[in-house]
């Protein structure tokens, strides 16, 4: 039963994406919609992403400091650990989990609301490819702005670690900077962007799928919104593991 | 002209439409009437292509509409306008942007040409100057008129109206009916209206189809309604004692 259900939804998801991949009726309209989505997803998420990132960096630094205190591990390693854990894992994964909640639920509710208020039917009757017009701009916008948000989150997180360590006097400015500059592997940045791209595709397409196929009333819309977040989160964590296996 | 041939549709075990065949001619208002649950909305959605019939064919002039490929379906749909029961205006767009949406999507018109066309459509539905208002800032009747303006902006050959008078006061309902009828005649459009509003039946019913239990129970025009001996139509149209008395008086007075 579970497998049959999975195949049914996966099939509909693939068909939706295939329908969405068609030539736009008007490049101008799609461009404007993509710009609007970039603003909503990117600019609209800046504050929450920065706020979470600064605390992630600070907490990582404080907890690692607690673990290395009284050991032979050099204290400057704190900067190195904050940098690498942020770039490899925390910035892409935590940022995208948060965005699945903020952006994913918003996408599901927006498209689902349009379905229920017959806006999608109205567009279909006009001859608009609704899967393309309503979904592709969101996916493209997310795949452009979310990697930028993730890079920003990584930077802010490292600053967060700096503030927590240096301002509290736990270590000197020079020690933290030395840690941040030590053992740098460029490929980790590539891995961060690969994760950001895959996660942004997943969270927008899964959320759009939930909204696009919503039926019924406000309860079903609420369920679709919740499902968008839950399934996006599960898939992000699953693909996080797969990418880690493949790229490390 | 739109022609439905032997349309069948079921949802699970429930047969909603059973062997529906009808022809809807251009330049006249074709009404589909019937009680709630009779299958009116399903038939309208099949005619407009939002639902696929289990059996049967829908013809748009010479085109087999129900078996078109998606790409060709979209081409035909550009000739279709539809007024929804809830108007289905895009909340985040102004009245002007709502009406301009199909023009932006499908035409290469200049900004001025689009503006002129939008203003003409707004004038046609007597909403001059409402360009910058949002759907939430206008009344239900005005929203219907904006819906009509958006439906006719691409000069459609076929116009569908789902319960155009629902939620409107009788006077506004008459205005909407008259508007749909005059647009239909002016542009020789094939108009199909799904309604259970008796005023509409008597005012603009050039061709009326009564659905009952998924079948066509009666066909005719508004003049034939008063003299019908079809029991199902009588029970539907003259459901209230007031209308029954009114009909008796009208018949007694010749």
């Amino acid at each position: 039963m579970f497998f049959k259900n999975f195949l049914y939804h996966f099939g509909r998801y693939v068909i939706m994406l295939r329908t969405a991949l068609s030539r736009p009726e008007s490049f101008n309209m799609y461009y404007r919609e993509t710009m609007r989505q970039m603003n909503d997803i990117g600019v609209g998420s800046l504050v929450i992403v920065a706020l979470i990132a600064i605390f992630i960096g600070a907490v990582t630094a404080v907890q690692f400091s607690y673990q290395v205190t009284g050991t032979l591990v050099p204290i400057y390693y704190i900067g190195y650990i904050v940098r690498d854990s942020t770039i490899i894992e925390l910035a892409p994964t935590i940022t995208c989990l948060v965005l699945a909640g903020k952006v994913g639920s918003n996408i599901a509710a927006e498209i689902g609301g349009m379905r229920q208020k017959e806006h999608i039917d109205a567009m279909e009757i006009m001859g608009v490819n609704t899967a393309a017009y309503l979904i592709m701009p969101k996916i493209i916008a997310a795949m452009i702005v979310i990697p930028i948000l993730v890079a920003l989150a990584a930077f802010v997180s490292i600053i967060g670690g700096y503030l927590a360590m240096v301002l509290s006097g736990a270590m000197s400015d020079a020690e933290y900077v030395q840690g941040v500059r030590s053992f740098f592997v460029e490929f980790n940045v590539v891995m961060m962007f690969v994760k950001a791209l895959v996660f942004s595709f997943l969270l927008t397409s899964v959320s759009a799928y939930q909204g696009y196929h919503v039926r019924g009333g406000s309860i079903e819309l609420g369920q679709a919104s919740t499902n968008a977040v839950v399934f996006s989160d599960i898939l992000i964590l699953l693909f996080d593991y797969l990418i880690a296996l493949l790229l490390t | 002209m739109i022609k439905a041939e032997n349309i069948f549709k079921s949802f699970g075990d429930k047969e909603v439409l059973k062997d529906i065949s009808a022809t809807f001619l251009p330049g006249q208002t074709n009404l589909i009437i019937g009680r709630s649950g009779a299958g009116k909305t399903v038939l309208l959605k099949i005619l407009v292509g939002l639902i696929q019939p289990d059996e049967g064919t829908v013809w748009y002039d010479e085109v087999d509409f129900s078996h078109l490929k998606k790409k060709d379906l979209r081409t035909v749909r550009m000739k279709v306008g539809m007024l929804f029961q809830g108007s289905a205006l895009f909340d985040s767009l102004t009245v002007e942007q709502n009406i301009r949406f199909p023009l932006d999507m499908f035409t290469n018109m200049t900004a001025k040409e689009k503006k002129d066309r939008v203003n003409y459509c707004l004038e046609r539905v007597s909403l001059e100057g409402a360009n910058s208002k949002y759907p939430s800032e206008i009344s239900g009747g005005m929203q219907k008129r904006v819906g009509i303006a958006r439906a006719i902006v691409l000069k459609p050959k076929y116009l569908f109206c789902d319960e155009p008078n629902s939620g409107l006061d009788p006077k506004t309902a008459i205005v909407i009916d008259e508007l749909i009828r005059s647009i239909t005649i002016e542009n020789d459009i094939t108009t199909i209206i799904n309604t259970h509003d008796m005023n509409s039946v008597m005012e603009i019913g050039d061709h009326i189809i009564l659905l009952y239990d998924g079948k066509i129970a009666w066909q005719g025009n508004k003049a034939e309604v008063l003299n019908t001996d079809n029991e199902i139509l009588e029970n539907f149209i003259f459901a209230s004692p007031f209308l029954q008395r009114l009909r008796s008086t009208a018949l007694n007075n010749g």
Side-chain angles (χ1 to χ4, degrees):
Chain A
M1 186 66 191
F2 170 80
F3 188 64
K4 197 176 161 191
N5 219 10
F6 167 77
L7 282 180
Y8 170 74
H9 285 290
F10 184 68
R12 275 211 308 182
Y13 173 76
V14 172
I15 289 169
M16 182 194 80
L17 288 178
R18 204 184 61 186
T19 313
L21 282 172
S22 67
R23 193 173 172 275
E25 295 89 353
S26 156
F27 278 101
N28 203 15
M29 289 287 277
Y30 279 65
Y31 172 75
R32 281 211 301 253
E33 184 59 14
T34 306
M35 288 295 127
R36 189 177 76 82
Q37 293 298 333
M38 281 171 71
N39 183 54
D40 286 357
I41 298 169
V43 179
S45 307
L46 261 177
V47 174
I48 184 83
V49 166
L51 200 65
I52 287 166
I54 205 160
F55 281 103
I56 286 173
V59 171
T60 309
V62 169
Q63 290 192 341
F64 191 66
S65 162
Y66 164 70
Q67 286 184 309
V68 299
T69 305
T71 67
L72 293 174
V73 178
I75 194 148
Y76 76 86
Y77 263 48
I78 293 172
Y80 156 59
I81 290 295
V82 168
R83 184 204 67 209
D84 268 10
S85 55
T86 292
I87 290 176
I88 296 172
E89 181 61 22
L90 297 175
T93 310
I94 303 287
T95 302
C96 288
L97 288 174
V98 169
L99 289 178
K102 184 186 175 291
V103 176
S105 62
N106 187 278
I107 288 173
E110 182 186 320
I111 298 178
M114 292 183 80
R115 168 71 72 194
Q116 291 183 335
K117 286 197 260 179
E118 296 183 308
H119 293 176
I120 293 182
D121 285 348
M123 285 187 193
E124 284 281 345
I125 286 165
M126 286 174 202
V128 177
N129 179 349
T130 53
Y133 180 65
L134 295 175
I135 296 168
M136 279 323 280
K138 289 180 175 58
I139 293 177
I140 292 168
M143 289 181 77
I144 293 170
V145 293
I146 288 179
I148 297 171
L149 282 175
V150 166
L152 182 83
F155 176 73
V156 172
S157 189
I158 293 167
I159 300 289
Y162 175 90
L163 293 175
M165 289 291 97
V166 178
L167 292 186
S168 68
M171 64 194 289
S172 71
D173 171 88
E175 283 171 325
Y176 190 83
V177 172
Q178 185 194 353
V180 169
R181 298 180 67 176
S182 300
F183 319 117
F184 181 66
V185 181
E186 288 94 339
F187 183 71
N188 289 344
V189 177
V190 174
M191 191 153 53
M192 177 182 81
F193 282 121
V194 169
K195 285 186 177 185
L197 280 170
V198 173
F199 297 166
S200 53
F201 174 78
L202 285 173
L203 77 90
T204 42
S205 59
V206 169
S207 305
Y209 171 78
Q210 291 294 335
Y212 194 72
H213 290 102
V214 78
R215 289 285 180 274
S218 51
I219 291 176
E220 285 78 4
L221 185 58
Q223 281 170 347
S225 200
T226 307
N227 287 345
V229 179
V230 172
F231 290 124
S232 298
D233 282 353
I234 292 170
L235 286 170
I236 285 170
L237 293 172
L238 176 69
F239 275 80
D240 188 25
Y241 173 68
L242 294 175
I243 293 168
L245 277 182
L246 285 171
L247 298 185
T248 56
Chain B
M1 181 190 70
I2 293 176
K3 199 171 166 187
E5 274 180 358
N6 311 108
I7 302 289
F8 285 85
K9 183 69 189 175
S10 301
F11 292 104
D13 295 337
K14 187 168 168 50
E15 281 187 286
V16 180
L17 296 177
K18 303 163 196 166
D19 198 13
I20 301 286
S21 294
T23 303
F24 306 97
L25 297 173
Q28 64 178 32
T29 42
N30 301 279
L31 269 58
I32 301 171
I33 62 171
R35 293 176 62 179
S36 300
K40 303 189 297 289
T41 301
V42 175
L43 177 58
L44 195 79
K45 286 190 172 179
I46 286 175
L47 291 175
V48 83
L50 286 175
I51 297 178
Q52 282 298 309
D54 295 336
E55 283 178 51
T57 311
V58 175
W59 295 87
Y60 277 44
D61 294 312
E62 306 305 317
V63 179
D64 178 354
F65 184 69
S66 37
H67 298 101
L68 281 178
K69 286 181 186 162
K70 266 205 165 169
K71 195 182 158 198
D72 301 325
L73 188 69
R74 291 203 179 99
T75 313
V76 176
R77 275 182 170 164
M78 284 162 64
K79 297 175 193 164
V80 173
M82 180 152 179
L83 173 63
F84 283 83
Q85 189 173 357
S87 299
L89 300 177
F90 309 133
D91 312 322
S92 57
L93 304 182
T94 62
V95 164
E96 178 171 329
Q97 288 166 336
N98 262 287
I99 300 170
R100 211 182 57 207
F101 185 89
L103 298 176
D104 286 337
M105 196 57 105
F106 298 112
T107 71
N108 294 318
M109 292 164 83
T110 63
K112 190 186 176 305
E113 286 168 340
K114 285 178 191 169
K115 181 98 182 160
D116 289 346
R117 180 70 189 152
V118 169
N119 285 339
Y120 167 78
C121 291
L122 277 174
E123 205 177 297
R124 189 65 197 77
V125 298
S126 308
L127 277 179
E128 303 94 326
N131 303 49
S132 57
K133 290 196 183 328
Y134 282 89
S136 59
E137 296 171 341
I138 57 178
S139 69
M142 288 165 85
Q143 286 183 15
K144 295 274 184 188
R145 283 188 275 162
V146 175
I148 293 173
R150 187 178 67 181
I152 62 169
V153 74
L154 282 178
K155 301 180 184 169
K157 278 182 78 178
Y158 317 100
L159 180 64
F160 294 87
C161 306
D162 187 15
E163 307 271 6
N165 296 333
S166 70
L168 299 181
D169 65 88
K171 205 152 192 170
T172 309
I174 290 169
V175 172
I176 298 292
D177 279 345
E178 282 306 320
L179 189 57
I180 293 170
R181 185 175 161 80
S182 58
I183 286 169
T184 300
I185 294 168
E186 269 171 38
N187 303 289
D188 200 30
I189 298 172
T190 304
T191 297
I192 302 176
I193 303 169
N194 176 4
T195 186
H196 48 223
D197 184 271
M198 285 311 107
N199 286 332
S200 301
V201 173
M202 301 314 289
E203 290 295 328
I204 61 165
D206 296 332
H207 174 217
I208 304 162
I209 286 176
L210 171 69
L211 283 189
Y212 181 79
D213 194 25
K215 292 179 189 162
I216 294 178
W218 182 86
Q219 283 196 64
N221 60 40
K222 61 185 178 186
E224 290 163 351
V225 168
L226 277 177
N227 300 311
T228 183
D229 53 3
N230 183 299
E231 202 178 326
I232 297 169
L233 181 66
E234 275 189 352
N235 289 338
F236 177 71
I237 302 265
F238 306 105
S240 78
F242 171 71
L243 285 174
Q244 286 164 11
R245 283 198 300 275
L246 209 63
R247 185 198 185 206
S248 306
T249 313
L251 289 174
N252 290 339
N253 294 340

